[in-house]
Amino acid sequence: MAFATVLIDGNNFYASCEAALDPALIGRPLVVLSNNDGCIVARSAEARALGIAMGVPYFQVRRQLERQGVVVRSSNYALYADMSQRLMATLEPWVEELEVYSIDEAFGRLHRPAGAGPGKGSRGGDLSAWGLALRRQVRRHLGLPVAVGIAGSKTLAKVANRLAKQNPIQQGVFDLGAVPDPDPWLEQVPVEEVWGIGRKLSRWCRLRGVATARQLRDLPSGELRARCGVVGLRLQQDLRGHSCLLLQSVVPAKQETCVSRSFSEPVTSLAALREAIATYLSRAAEKLRRQRQRTGTVTVFVRSSPFNGTSLYANAATTTLPLASNDTAVLLAAALPLAERLFKPHKPLQKAGVLLQNLQPVEQLQHHLLVPLPPEQQQRREALMATIDGLNRRYGRGTVQWAACGLRPAWAMKRERLSRSATTRPADLPVVWAD
DNA sequence: TCTGGGGTCCTAGGACCC
DNA sequence: TCTGGGGTCCTAGGACCC
């Protein structure tokens, strides 16, 4: 029984989400910025055609974008996360198993029908028509363009997805498992675009004379093993069509949870740093409770700007809790002294964060000598947290918050070009018609 | 003036144990 | 002068992903 692996992802996802909720943007050059309106993290096809690069700092190209009439948006994660959920729900019935891999992409597994016949034709039934139908449905339901790559393994499905986007003739769908000979296609894919080959490894590949996905596939395994260990071997096997990276349709429990942000302006006082850490920590604790986990250690880290020429100050401090917890008050009591330890009066900070590690499921019994709270009180604490989370979910983040987080702090994230939360806030619902 | 955030996995090396 | 071998656990750091 033959299976195919498919990779479906949103084209220019953030930019496409913006356009889906604001049709006036369709066909216009559009870019989306990272937090604090820092860098360009998504571009519409039209913006890409203007030669606007990915990842450039906004302030460097701002004038140019104005001249070119490019629409600029701050990231609206509430919108993208909601559109992502709708996308995944739409994909679900189309495959036998679905792995949600990131906010804008998912792997799927499905049956590959038998090929048209024996002989040197295709190696299996062509799934392109299936891909085109899926693509139409997503477009109709969500107004989002997606690309569909189909092959015999995850790494090859990634390659196929690239080829689908790269060659307009494919109309956004490519089945690498149905072509008579994949080699000329793999030859088209530069080695740095192979999934798992990053900056360091692609430099090594190039020096070795390996320039394409096909050459990487055919490199002697021993060499790859020596340079990249088992990770490289698995990647190569996958590229050869021997599926090594399995589909993970069950979401594994998180091993760590982190909340960190750059400040909109340098933080130079301990009071401001404490507010920031309290804010990040209460978000992290909220995540923990949603994941039904507790944390065993709390780490706070800070860093000055790496860009202003002065020497970098970067530091971190960690506390191990006597008893794992997800109670914001308990975690605040652990984290705030760490912030104090890290603060240096003459080191303006550009970024800080909270990292929670040694996570355990709340169901897990805790073996401990110290019982900090009687069970009855413990239950009241848990009920309090659940109430706070419920209020913030229902009425919006920050409806109820700890005083330690501060009110309208100066360091808070800058998002000057935010679109409406058109799918998650009643007040922001788009109006389709009006009298 | 202005430069993102949140993860995972693997490996090497040190501490420690018998 | 000369000082084993094998195992586990933990951590830091590097590489990658979107």
Side-chain angles (χ1 to χ4, degrees), chain A residues 1 23 42 45 60 98 187 250 258 273 292 322 325 342 345 373-374 378 389 408 430 432:
Chain A
M1 194 69 67
Q60 287 178 2
L98 188 77
E187 206 66 69
V250 179
C258 173
L273 179 62
R292 299 196 51 71
S325 175
L342 297 173
L373 284 179
Q378 179 65 31
D389 292 344
R408 299 186 176 283
V432 176

Side-chain angles (χ1 to χ4, degrees), chain A residues 64-133:
Chain A
Q64 178 199 335
L65 298 184
E66 275 167 25
R67 269 202 314 276
Q68 295 176 316
V70 177
V71 180
V72 178
R73 289 282 162 90
S74 304
S75 313
N76 185 345
Y77 283 102
L79 173 65
Y80 313 146
D82 184 68
M83 292 296 275
S84 173
Q85 279 188 22
R86 291 165 195 246
L87 171 62
M88 301 309 167
T90 304
L91 300 181
E92 190 93 60
W94 284 74
V95 291
E96 289 167 37
E97 239 184 293
L98 188 77
E99 172 187 342
V100 176
Y101 178 67
S102 75
I103 192 163
D104 75 329
E105 64 191 301
F107 287 102
R109 203 171 76 123
L110 71 159
H111 258 83
R112 182 184 289 286
K120 60 174 193 152
S122 66
R123 295 174 297 159
D126 196 331
L127 287 163
S128 300
W130 173 90
L132 288 168

Side-chain angles (χ1 to χ4, degrees), chain A residues 221-235:
Chain A
S221 299
E223 285 187 42
L224 206 56
R225 161 91 229 200
R227 175 64 178 80
C228 325
V230 296
V231 179
L233 280 190
R234 286 204 282 252
L235 190 161

